[in-house]
Amino acid sequence: MEDEIYLNKPDELFAAIENGKKNGKIMVVQIAPAVRVSIGEEFGRAPGEDLTHKTVGLLQALGFDHVMDTPLGADVNIYEETLEVLHALERDDEKYFPVFNSCCIGWRLYCKNKHPELYRLVSPIASPHMIAGSIGKHVLAKKLGVPVEKICMVSIMPCVLKKYETRERLPSGIKYIDYVLTTHELGMWAKKKGLDINRVRDGKFTALLPDSSKDGVIFGATGGITEALLSTLACICGESPEKVRFRGDEQVKHLCVQIGKHQLNVVSIYGVTNLDKVLDEIKHGVKYHFVEVMNCPYGCVGGPGQPLPASEEKYRARAHGLRKAADRKQGKCPLGKMGVHSIYEALGIGPGSREAQELFFFHKTNI
Ligand code: SF4
């Protein structure tokens, strides 16, 4: 089936991916932030342990030609989203606020069905793995000198719902992503092939794409998107991106901060039902500039595609492990390093441009 999403059919999904390679496709895979601190649980390791390089090694052992990091897509997502918020701040018109994040598909579906009046405020920017898919197809195709259609893009995600995003297409008709496997499915597939993450060699992300920032990695834990947005805004305003930290595991978390000439009031929520508390505050006159809503406990680290059984302790350990993994990287925000700039440069487009919208925004969404 053309838009097959392989729910409850993991064997067919593994076979489809293996067939891609047999059919001459260049197989590219990306790893979501939350996966690196949870895949180990499938192989007896502790939740929260950062196994980034082991996960890359495992995917290389499974036959992928290139492994890339979803946080690179998160870097582009937050750069475009910060430009959108900045534009709204400069217009100083209440009708543009609050801006809601778009990267959580669970939240987008909830908003569309339960609060359709708010949907116009949800950012139009595609989710990080879709952007990474677009980068993987367009930038790698250029660098490898092959047509975009030759690249097959696979995402390893903590989220079952992300499988629906394989239905989304760019204006050119190309899919951002061809297949999505959950963290648990990656564990199943590796075991079927006799692979154990404890025994594979460390691998390296493809050298054809730049490394991501710390902010791209913290996307996977609650508050990460908001921190990334604020530190990117600080960077644009000529301030240190390090001045902003928005850590902590509270279900509803507030911050009021001055960046450049802008006073921002932001809130992050996990568990969509907590949104009602924030909507109630808005009704009573509280003004927010940015609202981050993540469907799952502690953010994507608590996603439904993660290893089972789930527990509060595991969510917390993964969130803390992910923030530590981020802090070991160089470069706080996407603009603090050459990474994101080199993506725009390779594509010959500008940030916030119409061409960037074509490659990095949702188009006629199918969900
Ligand atoms: S928070 Fe949950 S539903 Fe939302 S994108 Fe992450 S894993 Fe998916």
Side-chain angles (χ1 to χ4, degrees):
M1 210 171 118
E2 217 266 323
D3 74 344
E4 183 60 84
I5 54 172
Y6 298 102
L7 280 174
N8 301 320
K9 291 189 268 183
D11 285 330
E12 289 179 31
L13 173 59
F14 308 151
I17 296 172
E18 286 167 11
N19 283 339
K21 179 115 181 146
K22 284 180 201 150
N23 294 334
K25 295 271 187 181
I26 296 172
M27 302 303 291
V28 182
V29 63
Q30 58 170 304
I31 312 168
V35 173
R36 69 206 63 205
V37 289
S38 58
I39 181 67
E41 294 165 45
E42 293 284 333
F43 300 92
R45 306 279 285 252
E49 213 181 323
D50 175 16
L51 295 179
T52 305
H53 298 292
K54 287 280 178 207
T55 314
V56 176
L58 188 67
L59 291 164
Q60 286 167 337
L62 282 165
F64 285 99
D65 299 302
H66 296 275
V67 186
M68 60 180 286
D69 209 5
T70 308
L72 189 57
D75 278 351
V76 171
N77 170 291
I78 211 61
Y79 189 15
E80 292 288 331
E81 196 152 279
T82 306
L83 293 175
E84 188 195 0
V85 170
L86 189 58
H87 200 208
L89 286 168
E90 279 162 0
R91 282 183 287 188
D92 196 22
D93 187 335
E94 283 189 16
K95 74 173 183 245
Y96 298 113
F97 294 111
V99 174
F100 289 91
N101 66 305
S102 60
C103 50
C104 172
I105 180 169
W107 149 238
R108 289 203 323 274
L109 286 168
Y110 177 82
C111 182
K112 219 171 181 177
N113 291 303
K114 186 95 193 302
H115 292 288
E117 76 287 358
L118 293 179
Y119 201 68
R120 69 175 181 87
L121 293 167
V122 176
S123 165
I125 299 159
S127 63
H129 86 121
M130 292 168 65
I131 295 180
S134 186
I135 293 171
K137 291 201 176 184
H138 294 89
V139 178
L140 285 181
K142 264 194 174 185
K143 295 199 173 181
L144 296 167
V146 299
V148 171
E149 294 77 8
K150 198 168 165 68
I151 295 187
C152 177
M153 197 70 224
V154 180
S155 300
I156 313 296
M157 295 282 121
C159 184
V160 177
L161 290 174
K162 290 276 173 195
K163 289 177 185 274
Y164 287 94
E165 289 181 338
T166 57
R167 289 178 172 170
E168 305 287 351
R169 286 173 188 269
L170 290 152
S172 60
I174 298 277
K175 286 182 169 197
Y176 301 76
I177 297 295
D178 296 288
Y179 301 104
V180 169
L181 272 93
T182 64
T183 315
H184 174 58
E185 286 169 341
L186 173 60
M188 281 171 70
W189 188 24
K191 285 177 207 166
K192 271 181 182 286
K193 294 283 166 193
L195 294 166
D196 181 337
I197 206 162
N198 297 298
R199 286 202 279 272
V200 294
R201 286 198 189 148
D202 281 4
K204 282 191 180 162
F205 289 115
T206 177
L208 296 175
L209 293 171
D211 191 17
S212 71
S213 71
K214 292 180 189 193
D215 282 348
V217 174
I218 54 171
F219 255 62
T222 178
I225 297 160
T226 309
E227 181 175 317
L229 180 115
L230 295 174
S231 67
T232 305
L233 184 62
C235 210
I236 292 173
C237 293
E239 296 177 6
S240 167
E242 303 283 349
K243 78 179 246 183
V244 188
R245 273 176 87 82
F246 193 50
R247 308 284 167 100
D249 300 329
E250 301 92 322
Q251 291 188 30
V252 182
K253 196 166 50 175
H254 297 87
L255 182 69
C256 191
V257 62
Q258 179 82 31
I259 298 179
K261 59 181 184 188
H262 307 291
Q263 179 81 30
L264 283 104
N265 199 19
V266 299
V267 60
S268 74
I269 300 160
Y270 65 80
V272 284
T273 47
N274 280 318
L275 180 68
D276 292 339
K277 293 181 195 160
V278 170
L279 293 182
D280 210 44
E281 288 175 349
I282 292 172
K283 251 187 232 153
H284 287 89
V286 179
K287 292 191 173 69
Y288 286 109
H289 296 96
F290 185 72
V291 180
E292 170 191 318
V293 190
M294 300 303 274
N295 184 50
C296 297
Y298 293 71
C300 291
V301 289
Q306 294 281 63
L308 295 169
S311 72
E312 187 83 13
E313 289 69 34
K314 284 186 185 176
Y315 301 147
R316 195 177 304 115
R318 292 174 194 158
H320 292 193
L322 188 62
R323 293 181 188 124
K324 274 194 197 158
D327 287 339
R328 279 193 288 271
K329 288 176 75 84
Q330 300 291 312
K332 167 75 177 124
C333 90
L335 305 183
K337 17 191 323 148
M338 277 314 291
V340 158
H341 301 294
S342 73
I343 292 295
Y344 286 95
E345 226 173 86
L347 293 166
I349 63 174
S353 63
R354 192 181 51 76
E355 293 82 4
Q357 290 182 5
E358 275 193 20
L359 290 173
F360 304 142
F361 280 41
F362 289 109
H363 301 281
K364 265 204 206 160
T365 178
N366 288 312
I367 59 153

